[in-house]
Amino acid sequence: MRLVELAHSKIKEFIRPGDLCIDATAGNGYDTLFLARQISPFGKVYAVDIQKLSIEQTVKRLNSHGFDEILRTFHGSHTKIRNLLDKSEHGKVSAIMFNLGYLPGGDHAITTTTEDTIFALNEAYVILRQGGVITALCYRGHSEGTKETKKVFELCKEKKWDVEVVEGSSNPQSPVLILIKKTRMD
Ligand SMILES: C[S@@+](CC[C@H](N)C(=O)[O-])C[C@H]1O[C@@H](n2cnc3c(N)ncnc32)[C@H](O)[C@@H]1O
């Protein structure tokens, strides 16, 4: 099973219809669509991306599946995810997905950065509900991705977060899926 599919199957254990969730790197909208399918017919899914094209593609994809009512979009950095929500929604988000790196088929120069990813993961943990999950799918095949993955591991260790790690293969350059579970309130 590909790590994207594995992330989906793991997330299913954490979300139910009516929940609030966030795709922090919307890209082509596949993860947003997956989240929408889990929470529909109620709930809300936020799609966040720094590329306008990604937001447009995500809107198109969700509209074509009839999920326009539950979709909210934000064209900007995921460093701002906490501010997207109403204060009353802080601590209520069930799942937040980060599929890091660059947009497949898009501009490879526009990639997630270590600094923003670390900041956004901290913000994501704050708005996550107890019992919720953050997934970070990290790509170690390019230099920024290698650095980013290393820092994500360091952050999880420093914060003593409850994590589950699944490596794509024994190749140290293969992608790695990190699940951060908010098992305690802090
Ligand atoms: C690997 S793609 C995501 C794939 C996507 N989840 C899907 O289902 O198609 C990574 C995305 O992260 C976006 N991105 C990069 N830096 C970002 C940031 N600071 N905030 C939000 N999105 C960012 C890129 O524009 C790109 O679309």
Side-chain angles (χ1 to χ4, degrees), residues 4 8 23-33 48-52 54-55 57-58 61 74 76-80 97-104 107 110-113 116-117 120 137 139 148:
V4 182
H8 290 181
D23 183 354
T25 53
N28 287 315
Y30 293 108
D31 292 325
T32 313
L33 178 61
V48 178
D49 205 290
I50 43 165
Q51 294 192 64
K52 195 161 176 269
S54 289
I55 296 297
Q57 276 172 348
T58 302
R61 191 174 304 286
F74 176 64
S77 176
H78 43 220
T79 52
K80 307 228 167 66
M97 295 189 73
F98 289 81
N99 189 345
L100 301 172
Y102 48 77
L103 183 65
D107 184 347
I110 308 173
T111 182
T112 54
T113 63
D116 284 0
T117 299
L137 183 47
Y139 297 91
E148 190 176 36

Side-chain angles (χ1 to χ4, degrees), residues 17-104:
D19 278 359
L20 172 61
C21 48
I22 301 175
D23 183 354
T25 53
N28 287 315
Y30 293 108
D31 292 325
T32 313
L33 178 61
F34 158 75
L35 292 169
R37 284 191 166 126
Q38 311 313 307
I39 62 163
S40 72
F42 312 111
K44 245 188 282 180
V45 58
Y46 284 89
V48 178
D49 205 290
I50 43 165
Q51 294 192 64
K52 195 161 176 269
L53 178 67
S54 289
I55 296 297
E56 286 166 0
Q57 276 172 348
T58 302
V59 168
K60 214 162 142 194
R61 191 174 304 286
L62 269 82
N63 283 356
S64 72
H65 287 83
F67 291 127
D68 38 320
E69 289 283 317
I70 55 176
L71 176 68
R72 305 287 182 278
T73 58
F74 176 64
H75 173 212
S77 176
H78 43 220
T79 52
K80 307 228 167 66
I81 50 174
R82 193 203 293 223
N83 306 334
L84 286 182
L85 306 181
D86 190 81
K87 275 228 166 76
S88 65
E89 294 174 319
H90 291 179
K92 303 261 170 68
V93 186
S94 297
I96 307 173
M97 295 189 73
F98 289 81
N99 189 345
L100 301 172
Y102 48 77
L103 183 65

